[in-house]
Amino acid sequence: MTEPLRVALAGLGTVGGGVIRLLDANRDLIKRRAGRAIEVVAVSARDRAKDRGVDLTRFDWIDDTTALAEYESADVVVELIGGSDGPALTLARKTLAAGKAFVTANKAMLAHHGLELAEAAEAQGTALKFEAAVAGGIPVIKGLREGAAANAIERVTGILNGTCNFILSKMEAEGRDFAEVLNEAQALGYAEADPSFDIDGVDAAHKLSLLAALAFGTQPAFGDVAVTGIRHVLAADIAEAAALGYRVRLVGVAEADAHGLFQRVHPHLVPVDHPLAHTTGSLNAVVADGNFVGRLFFQGRGAGDGPTASAVVADLIDIARGEFGSAFAMPASALAKPAPADTGERRGRAYLRFAVVDKVGVLAEIAAAMRDAGVSIESLIQRGANSDGHVLVAIVTHEGPERCVAQALEKLRGSQSLAGDPMWMHILG
Amino acid sequence: MTEPLRVALAGLGTVGGGVIRLLDANRDLIKRRAGRAIEVVAVSARDRAKDRGVDLTRFDWIDDTTALAEYESADVVVELIGGSDGPALTLARKTLAAGKAFVTANKAMLAHHGLELAEAAEAQGTALKFEAAVAGGIPVIKGLREGAAANAIERVTGILNGTCNFILSKMEAEGRDFAEVLNEAQALGYAEADPSFDIDGVDAAHKLSLLAALAFGTQPAFGDVAVTGIRHVLAADIAEAAALGYRVRLVGVAEADAHGLFQRVHPHLVPVDHPLAHTTGSLNAVVADGNFVGRLFFQGRGAGDGPTASAVVADLIDIARGEFGSAFAMPASALAKPAPADTGERRGRAYLRFAVVDKVGVLAEIAAAMRDAGVSIESLIQRGANSDGHVLVAIVTHEGPERCVAQALEKLRGSQSLAGDPMWMHILG
């Protein structure tokens, strides 16, 4: 195995450029570690003329990206185009069908088509690897697939979107509201011009579905992830949470038990002594609770060219070493397909915040709805009127079934007393 | 590869029992993940009669532990005896010479003989794996060997001994002194009857030398680790550190650069916003700073039967999957052998604490020694006399070469003003 591992690279955005720079910068070290050189031989991207700050003349330029799958002298195709379907998926299918290894950072494609691609890789005995698809440079795919492989994993919890965590951290540190901080994050390049995939939780849900598959030995089930983003988190929510000893984070939680597969991405109140509470700024982090290892915590940079390139090249090194196997930690045929869990039966504590009209009887109405639904209130705080004339009422419930909270909110739906949809955040146990 | 992976297990202490319990509890899951069953076939320990709470009658009992190396129907030997030499080393040599895979939790043996054993494994094309040897259940060996393999690692930093961290955390939380807390830790089983390997930093140094080898592509060099334990840390040091925004931790630090290989285990002042500051109780944690990935942080339980068994069985799963290679991430012949770094040239800030006699001129003497050695003082605090009549003087220096601090302490050595050896703690940058 002294022949170089030859790589065809699709996509020359930030991450693609990062992969080339990394392979240049750490060339000798990687050769020592992998036992053979790793060399890009061909590249493809939309715009050949664009200056990417790296010398591309040494590589074959292929205009038709999906033709990289048939590029004869490549052993591996690295896909950094993105998008759940389209050219990325075509390239994946063709590459694996050709019996070549496939490395991708494309969480959306894997969340939607991961099972099919894993089957295709298995059929050819080749590698499908995607460390960069979840939590950037943090080796969490490997951590679950291999590091924690001896354990029945009880729960995976993670901060999986750096944009959201950056925004929430900044709202927390500066007491500012969402829209304002989002604008600033966009100006700084921490958020996309169209930020909805990030701030609405879809990106985190893609990643959570992959972590769940690895952790529980189940087929990726992105469609079953319950997703709520951070658009409606107020600075006031963060302040109330802080006063109660919590921080607000967009947390993905997955559990599998006899009731089925539970997957949720939602803003949560995280106790300050929980490791995810210390995950600030654009960092990502994953907590895995195993039945023998206990709690494992992984933290690092979840995005950016350097961390993502680090994960892509780690996959290439595994392939160069011949140390790879089933994409989802077991043969695709062995992956279970549990039903989605009934969240109503989940027990937990909840943070509920209402923006209400400042008039007599509103509190009584809310309290009655809670009582009638069997929701027990641990604390209730009402603050004076906002600049928009509304009053905020924040409730923390005692532990109870989520069904009851949902019923209480249903009772209040359409009430003239409410000045908007209530905010329901789960409190991480 | 549907034949079971057959395991011969040497050592039936807490961890050995844990491995058997884990393989029983997670049998089906492991079979799905590994693609084949993992089965213990033979065991060996000192006392056959002892009740270990697991059914051993289903395994062959072998009286001569080192004979497990020749146990014909085993594919792997798992060594959980401990000790850097003696039967553990004999078993390792014989197992690898017989071409069987070898899995161990024995940090002492690897720190002393890791290179030899890696060469022996390579010569036979078999596996030498030791995830359980460092940081218990946390997959840090894999994290460095594979997860961060694309990076030049600039620095590895870790809390590698749970006993020390438990003691320091308890001293911090309760304001109590070392000896008292050690006694309690011993009573609780968190510290050995002879705790010196732990509290004097030797155990952490064993582990650090293995992390350094993996991180930097160097031969394990345990003999070059500068080691100081936590015996002389006072509750007062922890209180002063807290007042300055630091926590006291026994930290292992390794760096490799043009000046050579730097390895140190020493009590450090850790800034409260550093991830290691949040590693409390008996947890372990490792920070790796890579040139592309940035800072990776791994945290979890560093000892105990469950976490350690989890790491042992993770190694077995890698072997069952056929996903293993060089023990130290590259062929033993490719490992560099840098000279130990000259610590005098290292620049940093220091915490210095003196117990002094309560008389005129002592402060002047200390201040003069600092001045004469070129040590610039950032802050100096003198507190009233202790119960033993001595006064504590705590100094934090500006950044400067360690050589100067060493010179200042040398000037003060033997001074009648000092009531004991000064404490020098480095401040983590």
Side-chain angles (χ1 to χ4, degrees):
Chain A
M1 298 256 279
T2 47
E3 285 292 301
L5 182 79
R6 295 159 308 175
V7 177
L9 181 57
L12 289 170
T14 326
V15 178
V19 168
I20 293 173
R21 276 190 298 277
L22 192 162
L23 289 171
D24 283 346
N26 295 344
R27 175 170 305 279
D28 293 341
L29 184 63
I30 288 170
K31 188 173 176 181
R32 283 167 68 206
R33 290 212 179 111
R36 52 203 280 219
I38 297 180
E39 285 177 8
V40 176
V41 290
V43 296
S44 179
R46 265 179 303 201
D47 180 1
R48 185 165 186 174
K50 188 173 166 187
D51 180 11
R52 296 170 170 92
V54 286
D55 168 24
L56 299 175
T57 59
R58 53 201 162 140
F59 313 128
D60 252 6
W61 180 277
I62 308 294
D63 278 320
D64 173 9
T65 298
T66 64
L68 286 180
E70 287 109 29
Y71 189 82
E72 211 165 303
S73 64
D75 308 300
V76 193
V77 171
V78 172
E79 182 271 309
L80 302 169
I81 307 167
S84 61
D85 295 85
L89 183 60
T90 306
L91 180 61
R93 286 174 171 155
K94 286 173 70 178
T95 301
L96 294 170
K100 288 181 203 278
F102 189 77
V103 172
T104 178
N106 191 332
K107 55 228 76 167
M109 178 175 72
L110 289 165
H112 287 280
H113 307 287
L115 184 67
E116 173 206 323
L117 297 178
E119 285 166 346
E122 250 167 71
Q124 297 283 344
T126 191
L128 167 64
K129 293 192 63 78
F130 53 93
E131 186 62 81
V134 181
I138 317 171
V140 287
I141 298 296
K142 186 173 280 289
L144 289 174
R145 185 188 180 281
E146 301 159 32
N151 293 267
I153 303 290
E154 292 149 10
R155 185 184 303 107
V156 176
T157 321
I159 291 177
L160 300 172
N161 184 275
T163 304
C164 288
N165 211 55
F166 175 84
I167 292 173
L168 291 173
S169 296
K170 215 168 166 66
M171 288 172 69
E172 176 185 307
E174 300 172 8
R176 291 157 67 202
D177 263 316
F178 173 78
E180 204 182 318
V181 174
L182 172 62
N183 286 341
E184 196 175 311
Q186 287 172 314
L188 289 168
Y190 284 107
E192 308 277 345
D194 175 0
S196 56
F197 252 45
D198 290 319
I199 64 174
D200 291 331
V202 180
D203 174 75
H206 286 148
K207 296 166 180 168
L208 184 71
S209 71
L210 300 175
L211 291 181
L214 284 157
F216 309 127
T218 51
Q219 297 180 6
F222 167 68
D224 296 336
V225 186
V227 190
T228 305
I230 64 168
R231 277 183 200 270
H232 303 295
V233 176
L234 302 178
D237 293 320
I238 293 177
E240 293 300 344
L244 295 162
Y246 297 95
R247 291 186 181 147
V248 176
R249 297 282 184 266
L250 183 70
V251 176
V253 185
E255 296 175 8
D257 60 22
H259 300 297
L261 176 63
F262 169 73
Q263 300 177 97
R264 172 186 281 158
V265 170
H266 207 286
H268 278 72
L269 265 59
V270 179
V272 289
D273 61 353
H274 190 285
L276 294 182
H278 300 293
T279 302
T280 53
S282 63
L283 290 176
N284 277 202
V286 171
V287 173
D289 291 300
N291 66 340
F292 276 76
V293 74
R295 173 163 288 180
L296 288 175
F297 179 58
F298 303 84
Q299 183 181 275
R301 291 167 62 195
D305 56 338
T308 311
S310 167
V312 167
V313 177
D315 281 347
L316 292 173
I317 292 173
D318 275 354
I319 293 169
R321 285 169 167 166
E323 299 174 15
F324 64 86
S326 309
F328 289 101
M330 59 182 69
S333 59
L335 295 169
K337 201 183 172 195
D342 174 4
T343 58
E345 294 309 307
R346 288 182 63 80
R347 295 181 63 81
R349 294 166 66 227
Y351 167 93
L352 304 169
R353 183 259 303 151
F354 304 89
V356 302
V357 180
D358 194 3
K359 64 171 188 182
V360 172
V362 171
L363 261 186
E365 184 183 345
I366 292 174
M370 297 290 153
R371 178 201 60 207
D372 294 348
V375 176
S376 172
I377 294 176
E378 181 183 304
S379 68
L380 184 153
I381 295 171
Q382 176 182 330
R383 304 270 182 205
N386 256 356
S387 57
D388 58 5
H390 300 136
V391 173
L392 295 187
V393 176
I395 290 175
V396 170
T397 73
H398 282 294
E399 186 177 304
E402 294 188 2
R403 178 177 30 82
C404 297
V405 176
Q407 280 166 8
L409 296 183
E410 186 56 38
K411 277 177 203 292
L412 290 166
R413 191 208 295 252
S415 161
Q416 297 298 313
S417 304
L418 300 193
D421 287 335
M423 165 61 82
W424 175 1
M425 291 195 270
H426 306 277
I427 300 183
L428 210 61
Chain B
M1 297 257 279
T2 49
E3 286 292 301
L5 182 79
R6 296 159 307 175
V7 177
L9 181 57
L12 289 169
T14 325
V15 178
V19 168
I20 293 172
R21 277 189 298 278
L22 192 162
L23 289 172
D24 283 347
N26 296 344
R27 175 171 305 279
D28 294 341
L29 184 64
I30 288 169
K31 189 174 176 180
R32 283 166 68 206
R33 290 211 179 111
R36 52 203 282 219
I38 297 179
E39 284 176 9
V40 175
V41 291
V43 295
S44 180
R46 264 179 303 200
D47 180 1
R48 186 166 186 173
K50 187 172 166 188
D51 180 12
R52 296 171 170 93
V54 287
D55 169 25
L56 298 176
T57 58
R58 51 200 162 137
F59 313 128
D60 253 5
W61 180 277
I62 308 295
D63 279 321
D64 172 11
T65 298
T66 63
L68 285 180
E70 287 109 29
Y71 189 83
E72 211 166 301
S73 63
D75 307 302
V76 192
V77 172
V78 173
E79 182 271 309
L80 302 169
I81 307 168
S84 61
D85 296 84
L89 182 60
T90 305
L91 179 61
R93 286 175 172 156
K94 286 173 70 178
T95 301
L96 294 169
K100 287 182 203 278
F102 189 76
V103 172
T104 179
N106 190 332
K107 55 227 79 171
M109 178 174 73
L110 289 165
H112 287 281
H113 307 287
L115 184 67
E116 173 205 324
L117 297 177
E119 285 166 347
E122 250 168 71
Q124 297 282 346
T126 191
L128 166 65
K129 292 191 64 77
F130 53 93
E131 186 62 80
V134 181
I138 317 170
V140 286
I141 298 295
K142 186 172 281 289
L144 290 174
R145 185 188 180 281
E146 301 159 33
N151 294 267
I153 304 290
E154 291 149 11
R155 185 184 304 106
V156 177
T157 321
I159 292 177
L160 301 170
N161 185 275
T163 304
C164 287
N165 212 56
F166 175 84
I167 291 173
L168 291 173
S169 296
K170 217 171 165 63
M171 289 172 68
E172 176 184 308
E174 300 172 7
R176 290 156 68 202
D177 263 317
F178 173 77
E180 204 181 316
V181 174
L182 172 61
N183 286 340
E184 196 175 310
Q186 287 172 314
L188 289 167
Y190 285 107
E192 307 276 343
D194 175 1
S196 55
F197 251 48
D198 290 319
I199 64 174
D200 293 330
V202 180
D203 175 75
H206 286 148
K207 295 166 180 169
L208 184 70
S209 71
L210 300 175
L211 292 181
L214 283 158
F216 308 127
T218 51
Q219 298 181 5
F222 167 68
D224 296 336
V225 186
V227 190
T228 305
I230 63 168
R231 278 183 200 271
H232 303 295
V233 176
L234 301 179
D237 292 320
I238 293 176
E240 293 299 347
L244 295 163
Y246 297 96
R247 292 186 180 145
V248 176
R249 296 283 184 267
L250 183 70
V251 176
V253 186
E255 295 175 8
D257 59 21
H259 299 298
L261 176 63
F262 169 72
Q263 299 176 98
R264 171 187 282 158
V265 170
H266 205 287
H268 278 72
L269 265 59
V270 179
V272 289
D273 60 354
H274 190 284
L276 294 182
H278 300 293
T279 302
T280 53
S282 62
L283 289 176
N284 278 202
V286 171
V287 173
D289 291 300
N291 67 339
F292 277 76
V293 75
R295 173 163 287 180
L296 288 175
F297 179 59
F298 303 85
Q299 183 180 274
R301 290 167 62 196
D305 56 339
T308 311
S310 168
V312 167
V313 177
D315 281 347
L316 292 173
I317 293 173
D318 274 353
I319 292 168
R321 287 169 166 166
E323 298 173 15
F324 62 87
S326 308
F328 288 102
M330 59 182 69
S333 59
L335 294 170
K337 201 183 172 195
D342 174 4
T343 58
E345 294 310 308
R346 286 181 65 78
R347 295 181 63 81
R349 294 167 64 228
Y351 168 93
L352 304 169
R353 183 260 303 150
F354 304 88
V356 301
V357 181
D358 193 4
K359 63 170 192 185
V360 172
V362 172
L363 261 186
E365 184 183 345
I366 292 175
M370 296 291 152
R371 178 200 60 208
D372 294 349
V375 176
S376 171
I377 294 176
E378 181 181 306
S379 70
L380 184 151
I381 295 172
Q382 175 180 330
R383 305 271 182 205
N386 256 356
S387 56
D388 57 6
H390 300 136
V391 172
L392 296 186
V393 176
I395 290 174
V396 170
T397 72
H398 282 294
E399 186 178 304
E402 294 188 5
R403 177 176 32 80
C404 297
V405 176
Q407 280 166 9
L409 297 183
E410 186 57 37
K411 278 176 203 293
L412 290 167
R413 191 208 293 254
S415 161
Q416 297 299 313
S417 304
L418 301 192
D421 288 335
M423 165 60 82
W424 175 1
M425 290 195 272
H426 305 278
I427 300 182
L428 210 60

